[in-house]
Amino acid sequence: VVKSSSSLHASTTEKLSCQMVELFEACQQQPSDLERKEVCRARLQQDIQQIFPSARLYLTGSSMNELGSRCSDADICLVIKGNKKTDALRVLGRLLKLFKTLSYVERNQLIRAKVPILRFREKGSDLEFDLNVNNTVGIRNTFLLRSYAYADLRVRPMILVVKKWARYNNINDASKGTLSSYTLALMVLHYLQTLSEPVLPSLQRDYPESFNPLMNLDMVPEGPKHIPPYISRNQSSLGELLLGFLKYYATDFSWDKQVISVREARAFPKNNSKEWNNKFICVEGMQFIGSNRPQPPPFNISIAVRNVHSNPTVTPFVSEPFERNNVARAVHEKLKFDAIKAKFAESCRLLHERKELNSILPFRAII
Ligand code: ATP
Ligand code: MG
């Protein structure tokens, strides 16, 4: 299957590619943005250590994975040894009080999601923070995505444009039942991995030691440092890839029957629970948080498999590369899921008809 749009004239996709590069260059996170986040992270760590002396703060998400834009928030994982994920609310409750006393923090609020977070802003600026407690898988997957971002030059503009497109079309908000940015990034990676001439490999398969799920957290950024860029024979332009991506999810990918696995660089059938059980329990059976102390499994795999079966047609299933739960679980309403699929189909059609990015993502709406 050639997932490109050979039906479009080359100059058309060329124009689309130029627009994508232009958008990427205008929007990508700048070194000064990261510096600002880092200064705030270090200051917060010092203040938090006054009540939790072992606390360490790690920047995660698009601030660190090279897929961020100038307006991306700063995701932070607070690692406290000896605290279970279940204690997160208690820890965040204490931080909520502490933050009220900090002169550089404002609009401090506790969000009781499945992974609870403290959301706040740097005073007097529009820099937003989402802080979680001991959700350390976010540190591991941040450096996995960062490695994919470095593996091929096309990855960063592809994901950034897709995120902007999804945001513009109101399908990029997990708290409103649509797709998180993280899910969208995994969807793009999956598409690039499964082209007949892949743009990306499975890095976890090719470099298992660099992405060992038991690696000490402080080593996680070091693990993938020496992975060379992937040499792909796929020469498709960004424009061709964007069109192919939209078409893949609008018409080719079977949402009802398939699970996306970036770890395996393939899709596998939703009803293949044996595969889930055999492959993942032994690999992911233990996790180390900040030290060499084994922790219980981070989630119950049988629940994940049951969820696939209990609602096989409604929920998209995009597997988390380290923990194997469904990162797209927020999309549980059929109406929302249908709206997402409709956006892919509509944008695919518009691009074919009008052949430019402005038809699906007006540049001025973003800058
Ligand atoms: P944006 O630029 O829009 O902020 P982002 O890359 O920061 O995008 P988010 O969806 O905000 O993406 O997620 C931030 C980080 O949180 C991800 O990079 C990932 O490390 C972690 N994360 C988010 N959702 C999950 C999940 N379901 N399971 C595990 N980790 C997750
Ligand atoms: Mg973020």
Side-chain angles (χ1 to χ4, degrees):
V1 185
V2 177
K3 294 179 203 157
S4 79
S5 66
S6 44
S7 56
L8 276 190
H9 197 269
S11 68
T12 310
T13 47
E14 221 170 87
K15 188 168 162 199
L16 184 56
S17 305
C18 290
Q19 290 175 316
M20 289 173 72
V21 170
E22 211 180 315
L23 183 61
F24 169 66
E25 284 179 350
C27 293
Q28 65 173 317
Q29 175 177 266
Q30 299 297 310
S32 58
D33 303 327
L34 179 57
E35 227 166 83
R36 219 171 109 212
K37 291 173 180 177
E38 173 50 31
V39 167
C40 215
R41 181 209 64 82
R43 200 170 174 193
L44 278 169
Q45 180 171 279
Q46 254 188 355
D47 285 323
I48 291 174
Q49 281 173 348
Q50 287 175 13
I51 49 175
F52 297 110
S54 75
R56 294 281 308 276
L57 295 194
Y58 295 78
L59 269 176
T60 63
S62 65
S63 312
M64 289 304 286
N65 65 18
E66 298 289 342
L67 306 171
S69 59
R70 297 219 64 182
C71 57
S72 288
D73 65 352
D75 300 288
I76 287 190
C77 176
L78 163 64
V79 178
I80 307 182
K81 286 179 194 163
N83 264 269
K84 295 193 201 102
K85 273 190 191 171
T86 47
D87 292 337
L89 272 175
R90 193 182 54 80
V91 172
L92 292 178
R94 291 187 67 187
L95 293 186
L96 189 71
K97 282 193 195 141
L98 170 73
F99 284 13
K100 281 183 183 150
T101 68
L102 301 179
S103 61
Y104 57 97
V105 171
E106 67 180 6
R107 296 208 219 166
N108 190 15
Q109 56 165 319
L110 184 58
I111 298 177
R112 293 164 195 272
K114 184 157 185 266
V115 175
I117 54 173
L118 200 56
R119 180 166 290 168
F120 54 93
R121 283 190 184 214
E122 182 189 40
K123 201 168 216 156
S125 85
D126 53 3
L127 178 53
E128 189 166 85
F129 287 82
D130 274 355
L131 182 147
N132 70 62
V133 179
N134 283 347
N135 192 34
T136 51
V137 68
I139 302 173
R140 300 184 194 283
N141 61 32
T142 290
F143 284 90
L144 177 66
L145 261 56
R146 184 181 169 99
S147 306
Y148 279 114
Y150 287 138
D152 187 284
L153 277 175
R154 293 166 286 189
V155 173
R156 295 178 63 211
M158 261 299 278
I159 293 181
L160 194 132
V161 169
V162 165
K163 275 169 36 172
K164 293 285 178 195
W165 164 80
R167 173 76 46 108
Y168 175 73
N169 284 285
N170 297 318
I171 58 167
N172 174 211
D173 189 345
S175 71
K176 294 192 177 132
T178 58
L179 301 164
S180 69
S181 295
Y182 181 53
T183 305
L184 285 159
L186 292 176
M187 286 168 62
V188 174
L189 296 179
H190 167 73
Y191 166 71
L192 297 175
Q193 287 175 324
T194 54
L195 286 157
S196 55
E197 201 60 83
V199 170
L200 293 172
S202 158
L203 290 178
Q204 285 168 291
R205 182 192 56 210
D206 292 356
Y207 302 96
E209 280 315 308
S210 300
F211 301 105
N212 180 348
L214 304 183
M215 188 187 287
N216 190 297
L217 282 182
D218 289 323
M219 295 305 294
V220 168
E222 302 300 318
K225 261 197 173 148
H226 302 294
I227 295 177
Y230 181 65
I231 312 287
S232 167
R233 279 182 301 192
N234 186 315
Q235 298 294 314
S236 299
S237 66
L238 279 172
E240 287 170 325
L241 291 175
L242 181 63
L243 267 157
F245 168 80
L246 294 171
K247 179 175 171 293
Y248 179 61
Y249 288 109
T251 59
D252 303 343
F253 185 74
S254 174
W255 286 108
D256 294 353
K257 301 195 180 91
Q258 292 179 297
V259 174
I260 290 174
S261 170
V262 166
R263 179 185 180 122
E264 309 252 334
R266 69 187 179 101
F268 57 82
K270 268 188 178 175
N271 59 9
N272 199 349
S273 60
K274 193 159 167 258
E275 181 156 8
W276 276 76
N277 288 319
N278 288 347
K279 283 211 166 135
F280 310 144
I281 288 180
C282 49
V283 181
E284 318 286 357
M286 282 190 188
Q287 198 188 31
F288 288 60
I289 295 182
S291 67
N292 286 337
R293 210 161 56 82
Q295 301 289 316
F299 85 115
N300 184 337
I301 286 160
S302 60
I303 291 176
V305 174
R306 221 182 305 135
N307 285 345
V308 181
H309 288 139
S310 63
N311 214 352
T313 54
V314 176
T315 312
F317 205 108
V318 180
S319 168
E320 155 49 45
F322 286 96
E323 287 193 342
R324 301 298 172 157
N325 54 4
N326 182 8
V327 307
R329 62 179 174 259
V331 188
H332 53 78
E333 282 175 43
K334 188 174 181 312
L335 267 179
K336 298 260 171 73
F337 191 14
D338 287 344
I340 292 169
K341 288 186 274 191
K343 280 291 170 207
F344 277 87
E346 185 196 5
S347 292
C348 190
R349 183 177 55 78
L350 283 173
L351 272 189
H352 268 95
E353 283 169 5
R354 293 170 54 190
K355 303 147 191 144
E356 54 177 78
L357 196 58
N358 261 321
S359 64
I360 60 163
L361 175 58
F363 201 83
R364 263 167 308 180
I366 306 304
I367 303 296

